[in-house]
Amino acid sequence: MAKLGRNQPCPCGSGRKVKRCCGAHRGPSGEDLALQNLREQARKFAPLLRPYSEVDIDQLLERVIELPVRHLSLQVQLPRIWPPALQRLRAGLGDDTDDIIDAVQAATRVIDGPQLRLTLASEAAELCRNDEIDLESLALIIVDLARPTSLFVSASLIAATAVSLGRCPTPAGLLVAAV
């Protein structure tokens, strides 16, 4: 079968050319653009963290990974239907075993992506504009979100899961009924 040219009539029957109808999308994908945007933001914010020592960065990171507990906007949106990896996290969240680390990593791989990370970065920037978090925390969040594996995404997922199970109160102090 011959490959369709961009200027041929579209096989869907619309009468339009392939390039104006069902033709393949050209250029970078939305995920590629989101990842590029995150990397550009990280390059802009990274200099704010240069004066900090490794110990200072660790202390700032401890504060940053607690932010999703205090701000619902920094929690990932959980799917309506829980994939097996999220079910495993949900079932093991109260356990004090090493299995929970594996469950968090597996669940994070399921929900993680450039669009999610860009959304979290935007929400953190909004909180910074409203003086709810400081600029250094925002810088660390953005730099972390631009890394291949993000601690902030995992912290956000854990907080969202804990709230959904009623094991962690919302910032308003409400406990959600366990489902």
Side-chain angles (χ1 to χ4, degrees):
M1 181 172 181
K3 183 177 171 185
L4 282 178
R6 289 174 27 91
N7 290 318
Q8 292 179 325
C10 188
C12 75
S14 68
R16 297 178 0 186
K17 293 180 180 181
V18 169
K19 68 183 176 185
R20 303 240 186 259
C21 192
C22 298
H25 175 72
R26 299 197 193 309
S29 69
E31 290 202 352
D32 289 339
L33 292 173
L35 193 56
Q36 181 182 359
N37 187 337
L38 271 173
R39 288 179 180 153
E40 287 174 16
Q41 287 183 33
R43 277 193 291 278
K44 291 177 185 175
F45 280 102
L48 293 173
L49 300 173
R50 283 198 186 113
Y52 287 86
S53 70
E54 198 171 320
V55 172
D56 294 335
I57 293 287
D58 286 344
Q59 290 172 347
L60 183 58
L61 184 60
E62 286 178 23
R63 283 193 349 237
V64 162
I65 61 175
E66 292 296 321
L67 289 174
V69 173
R70 292 192 311 254
H71 299 283
L72 287 176
S73 64
L74 295 178
Q75 293 179 11
V76 299
Q77 181 101 19
L78 296 173
R80 288 185 184 269
I81 299 174
W82 290 60
L86 288 175
Q87 283 287 10
R88 188 170 148 224
L89 172 64
R90 189 177 186 172
L93 201 55
D95 298 343
D96 291 321
T97 64
D98 290 334
D99 291 339
I100 192 67
I101 294 170
D102 294 334
V104 169
Q105 291 172 342
T108 300
R109 281 191 298 272
V110 169
I111 59 112
D112 196 7
Q115 296 292 351
L116 171 78
R117 290 178 181 221
L118 194 57
T119 300
L120 290 172
S122 297
E123 293 296 337
E126 184 64 27
L127 289 173
C128 186
R129 277 192 290 279
N130 294 335
D131 293 325
E132 295 183 55
I133 64 173
D134 58 30
L135 190 59
E136 290 77 15
S137 295
L138 174 63
L140 187 58
I141 290 169
I142 302 270
V143 169
D144 179 71
L145 289 172
R147 297 177 61 227
T149 55
S150 169
L151 290 174
F152 191 73
V153 171
S154 295
S156 178
L157 174 63
I158 291 168
T161 304
V163 166
S164 76
L165 292 172
R167 295 208 175 129
C168 177
T170 65
L174 300 173
L175 275 177
V176 178
V179 181

